[in-house]
Structures are given as C-alpha cells and as structure tokens.
C-alpha cells in the first residue's frame, strides 16, 4: 500500500560555491544548472504524483514569488509556502513546517528535501522513501545515507551500527554522525564499507519531530512555536512572525536533533545523488565526453581534457585551448577560471568581491520580480538602459521616483501605461516618456509576454529610488519590498 508523504522543500540558501551562476539574489536552486528545469523544479517534480501530497516550501522573502512562478511552470501547486524573516539554518525551518502540518495532521509523514540536489533516478528514490516510511511511521527519525563511490572530504558521514548492511533496501541502525574527514580518514571509511554520506534528507512524522525538539532543543522549539502561532497570511504565503524569530538559534537539524536523538535509523541509497556542492560536482554529473570535457552551447574546447567550459550568455563565446582540469564559467557580467582541484574555494572569490564592493558578488545581472524580470544592458554616468519583460496579466506597482525620469520603448507586445491621470496603450515600436516625479505604472493586458527597453536618466539610478503607492503584490517600500 502506498503511504502518503508530505514533501518539505528547503530553498533559502545562497549557494556561493556555484558562483557566478548562483548568487545571493538568485541562488543555485532556482537556476537551470542541470537540464531545462531548475534544481528546485526538478525536486518538486521528483516528489510529486502518487504517494506525495502537494509540497510545503520554506524560503526567504526575496524568493517567494520565484517559488510560486517556478512551481506554476511545472503545474505543481504548493500546500503552503512559509516565509522565514531571516535564515536560521535548517532546524528552525523544518520545525516550523512540522508545526504547521501537525495542526491538521499530527501523524503527517514529512520528507525533508533540500531543493538544490541532483537525484538521477527519481523512481528509485521514491521507492526508497516508501521503503523507509513504515519505520518513520513507527516513530523513528530516518536519515538518508548515500553509498559513497570515492573518499569525499566535502561531505559528512553516517557510521552504521554493528551488523547493519550498507546495501540494504530497508532502514538500518545508525551508530553516529561523523564530521567531514580529511583525505586519509575518508579513504579508510570508504574501504571499511560501513559508512554512508550524509545527504541531509530526512523522513519522520510531525509528531515525532516535535517531540524530539521538545526533548533535545527546547531553546529552538519555544521561539519557533511562537513564530508559527503569530504568523501572518499574505497573498497565499505564511509569514512567520519576525519578533520571536529573532530569538531562534542558528542551527542545523543535524546538530539540534539528529546527533542527540536515540530513535534514529538510516535508509541506504545508492542509485545516484549529488548535492552539486561545487563546479567539480557539476562537471562530474554532466557526463563528460571521451576527453573528459563538458561544454555548453556557447563554449568550445580545443585540445582540452577533463575541463568544464560553460557560458550562460548568448553574447559571450567561451573558448578554451590546451586546458587540463580547468573550470571556466562565464556570465554576461563575470567570469570564473579555476583549477578543478580548487573548486571548493569559489566562496573565497565571493568574499573577495564583497570586500571590494563589487555588485557581482551577490547581485545577478537578471533581476527577477513577481511581475517578470529585467536586466541592465548599459550603465553610464547619469543614464541606464534596461530590458524589461512583464508576464501576461502582470503589473508593476504604481510608483514614482525622486531622482530619475524614464523613457519606455515597446519592442514586443502591448503595454497599458498610467502616467498621473492619463492611461494609454503603447504597442510595438511606440514609446512613452515618464517625467521625474510622475506617478506611473506599467501593465501587460495581453496574453503574451511584454518586452520593452527602458532608458533611465537622472542623478541617481538605484533600485531603492522607488515610492510605491499601490502594488498588487503587497511588497511595501524598498528595492523589492
């Protein structure tokens, strides 16, 4: 009999190790790193259909509309989207979701799944979840362990208890969690056959998890319970209360619960998994050719071996000549070149860019908004040129600016434009001027995306020069609200 599982998708991280494609403003879970769908969409699809309820998603305020948009593109409706006031690691996020689910179903079976992992055999993973479900229903806390195929130093490990089988198809007794090892220790653990990688995937009932937090992490339980109790509902989102959330410790579910609880078991899984924790992992998961190379559509490898060449921009052709064990990733505004053995040091590059004040450290060239997206094409002294795309039926806020005027040129679709008391339709090849200080709004009344070019001129062109008077997305003030 199929057991119904509630997927809990965690997607609040920043993913700095896959810079420049993953940045704080648009992290790796929402990017199309492997295939035509984002990692988040792949996770949602993998955990949908027979045996799964609609997912619960925990994310940050800036990503809430991206979550809804990407789920809609896969025709998956969420059960709930919880908004964290600020990131506090995995323990508070998981507990908040468990408390929400427990209000309706205390025995709800929850599968905690990071939304930025790659699992190549979805059917095998779903089967493993079903195999682990009875043990979780009995009250145990199940963690998933990946069969290691190399002495990896970037993962934590799970040590099996004496007599447990690392190749079993049912949950096994877990002895202990092991921190990330050095190379020598990782080699020893691989040879022993008694260790699995810690995948950060968990299965338990809401009731069992809540009981564990009460017993082992009351300092986490109390403020999270208050944040859920005082949550506000906003446009279909559940906003956890910010005041008690400030008192929530920043702690992972491993440290808060899993390493302390006695009712643990591990479900071995060996059918293909990666957390895509670096560009070396992307290279490995991308099926290198006979020479060991992985290239994107806009990249060319000449006399290269074991190299990843990837360009994310149609305007940037990336060419490698005579390279060995190199990672080169180009976007429209940044280029990363690194030896594959140093892939885990990419986060150092992000820190260095932050220190020098480079916007590329955190801001993606394409800025996603609930109504669509825009990208800056040219930025100069007192002017900026943007490409703006507005989804069908969407509308920007009714707003004004203190420091800039704008000129809009429609290149595709039709725009409904409000400027003070005047409303007009602007079609392809037509334009309109918005004077400094004018109250204005742009809408897409059509059935197809609206594309336009915006030319801004003024003394200050920052995104925080926006005063919102009305907004269908209830974003409030600030660059994104």
């Amino acid at each position: 009999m199929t057991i119904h599982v509630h997927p809990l998708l965690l997607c609040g991280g920043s993913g700095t190790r896959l810079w420049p494609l993953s940045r704080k403003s648009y992290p790796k879970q929402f990017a199309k790193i492997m295939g035509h769908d984002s990692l988040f969409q792949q996770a949602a699809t993998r955990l949908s259909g027979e045996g799964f309820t609609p997912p619960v998603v925990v994310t940050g305020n800036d990503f809430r509309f991206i979550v809804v948009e990407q789920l809609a593109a896969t025709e998956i409706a969420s059960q709930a989207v919880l908004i964290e006031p600020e990131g506090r690691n995995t323990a508070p996020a998981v507990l908040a979701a468990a408390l929400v689910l427990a209000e309706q179903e205390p025995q709800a079976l929850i599968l905690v799944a990071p939304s930025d992992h790659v699992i190549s055999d979805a059917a095998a993973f779903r089967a493993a979840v079903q195999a682990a479900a009875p043990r979780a229903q009995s009250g145990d806390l199940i963690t998933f362990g990946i069969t290691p195929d190399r002495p990896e130093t970037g993962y934590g490990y799970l040590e099996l208890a004496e007599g447990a089988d690392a190749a079993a198809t049912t949950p096994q007794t877990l002895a202990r969690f092991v921190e990330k090892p050095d190379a020598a220790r990782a080699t020893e653990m691989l040879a022993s056959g008694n260790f699995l990688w810690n995948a950060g995937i968990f299965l338990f009932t809401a009731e069992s998890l809540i009981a564990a937090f009460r017993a082992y992490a009351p300092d986490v339980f109390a403020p999270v319970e208050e944040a859920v109790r005082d949550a506000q509902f906003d446009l279909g989102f559940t906003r956890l209360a910010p005041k008690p959330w400030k008192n929530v410790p920043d702690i992972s579910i491993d440290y808060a619960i899993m390493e302390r609880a006695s009712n643990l078991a591990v479900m071995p899984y060996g059918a293909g998994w990666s957390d895509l924790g670096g560009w070396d992992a992307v290279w490995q998961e991308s099926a290198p050719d006979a020479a060991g190379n992985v290239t994107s559509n806009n990249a060319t490898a000449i006399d290269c071996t074991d190299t990843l060449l990837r360009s994310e921009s149609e305007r940037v052709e990336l060419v490698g000549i005579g390279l060995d064990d190199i990672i080169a990733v180009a976007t429209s505004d940044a280029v990363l070149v690194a030896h594959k053995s140093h892939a885990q040091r990419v986060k150092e590059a992000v820190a260095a860019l932050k220190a020098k004040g480079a916007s590329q450290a955190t801001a993606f060239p394409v800025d996603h908004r609930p109504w669509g997206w825009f990208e800056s094409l040219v930025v100069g002294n007192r002017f900026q040129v943007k490409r703006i795309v507005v989804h069908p039926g969407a509308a920007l806020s009714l707003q004004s600016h203190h420091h800039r005027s704008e000129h809009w040129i429609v290149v595709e679709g039709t725009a409904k434009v409000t400027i003070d008391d005047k409303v007009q339709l602007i079609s392809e090849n037509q334009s309109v001027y918005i004077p400094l200080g004018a109250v204005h709004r742009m809408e897409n009344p059509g059935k197809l995306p609206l594309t336009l070019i915006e030319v801004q001129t003024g003394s200050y062109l920052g995104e925080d020069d926006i005063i919102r008077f009305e907004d269908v997305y209830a974003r409030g003030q600030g660059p994104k609200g």
Side-chain angles (χ1 to χ4, degrees), residues 157-161 173-178 185 194-196 266:
Y157 283 70
L158 304 168
E159 183 178 3
L160 297 174
T173 304
L174 177 63
R176 65 187 180 104
F177 286 73
V178 180
R185 179 60 179 146
N194 199 42
F195 292 84
L196 302 171
V266 57

Side-chain angles (χ1 to χ4, degrees), residues 158-457:
L158 304 168
E159 183 178 3
L160 297 174
E162 186 176 351
D165 182 3
T169 56
T170 56
Q172 301 294 294
T173 304
L174 177 63
R176 65 187 180 104
F177 286 73
V178 180
E179 295 292 332
K180 297 177 182 179
D182 59 24
R185 179 60 179 146
T187 300
E188 292 175 0
M189 290 192 292
L190 178 66
S192 75
N194 199 42
F195 292 84
L196 302 171
W197 289 335
N198 182 5
I201 301 172
F202 307 98
L203 184 68
F204 33 63
T205 65
E207 189 174 61
S208 297
L209 182 72
I210 292 169
F213 270 95
R214 287 183 184 273
Y216 302 110
D219 58 329
V220 179
F221 180 83
V224 171
E225 183 186 39
E226 185 179 354
V228 171
R229 185 179 63 244
D230 296 341
Q232 300 293 317
F233 299 95
D234 170 23
L235 296 178
F237 303 109
T238 301
R239 289 184 175 275
L240 301 172
K243 186 176 180 180
W245 198 260
K246 290 184 180 296
N247 299 319
V248 174
D250 186 327
I251 188 171
S252 72
I253 191 171
D254 292 63
Y255 286 133
I257 299 300
M258 296 298 169
E259 295 187 6
R260 304 180 185 183
S262 58
N263 56 331
L264 295 179
V266 57
M267 180 66 202
Y269 181 75
W273 167 91
S274 174
D275 72 342
L276 289 189
W279 283 113
D280 52 338
V282 175
W283 168 82
Q284 189 170 35
E285 293 295 321
S286 299
D289 63 19
N293 297 321
V294 173
T295 57
S296 68
N297 289 336
N298 304 309
T300 302
I302 300 173
D303 194 25
C304 296
T305 54
D306 298 328
T307 289
L308 171 67
L309 298 175
R310 179 166 179 154
S311 172
E312 298 298 316
S313 173
E314 294 180 354
R315 294 176 291 176
V316 178
E317 282 291 330
L318 179 62
V319 179
I321 302 175
L323 303 178
D324 179 55
D325 266 348
I326 295 297
I327 292 165
V329 182
T331 63
S332 62
D333 67 337
V335 178
L336 166 72
V337 181
H339 195 276
K340 204 189 302 169
S341 64
H342 292 274
Q344 294 301 311
R345 299 183 62 190
V346 172
K347 57 187 177 182
E348 295 179 28
V350 176
L353 291 175
K354 284 182 180 178
K356 67 187 292 187
S359 63
Q360 290 91 333
T362 57
F364 206 69
V366 174
D367 197 328
H368 292 262
R369 300 297 172 93
W371 45 259
W373 56 269
F374 70 83
E375 64 175 330
S376 294
L377 303 177
V378 181
V379 180
N381 183 29
R382 296 180 64 90
F383 80 93
Q384 179 172 206
V385 180
K386 291 181 177 179
R387 173 167 58 169
I388 300 176
V389 176
V390 184
H391 298 317
L396 281 68
S397 61
L398 184 67
Q399 60 184 250
S400 68
H401 310 293
H402 283 307
H403 302 287
R404 71 174 184 255
S405 59
E406 297 171 339
H407 197 120
W408 294 340
I409 305 100
V410 176
V411 296
E412 183 179 23
T414 298
K416 181 181 178 182
V417 177
T418 299
I419 304 176
D420 292 328
D421 297 329
K422 183 179 180 181
V423 180
Q424 56 188 310
L425 292 177
I426 307 297
S427 300
E428 293 180 12
N429 298 318
Q430 294 182 325
S431 63
V432 65
Y433 174 69
I434 299 92
L436 186 151
V439 177
H440 60 282
R441 172 163 33 209
M442 181 199 315
E443 304 173 59
N444 180 0
K447 303 292 186 181
L448 298 173
L450 163 66
T451 303
L452 65 147
I453 299 299
E454 177 183 85
V455 180
Q456 301 177 352
T457 58

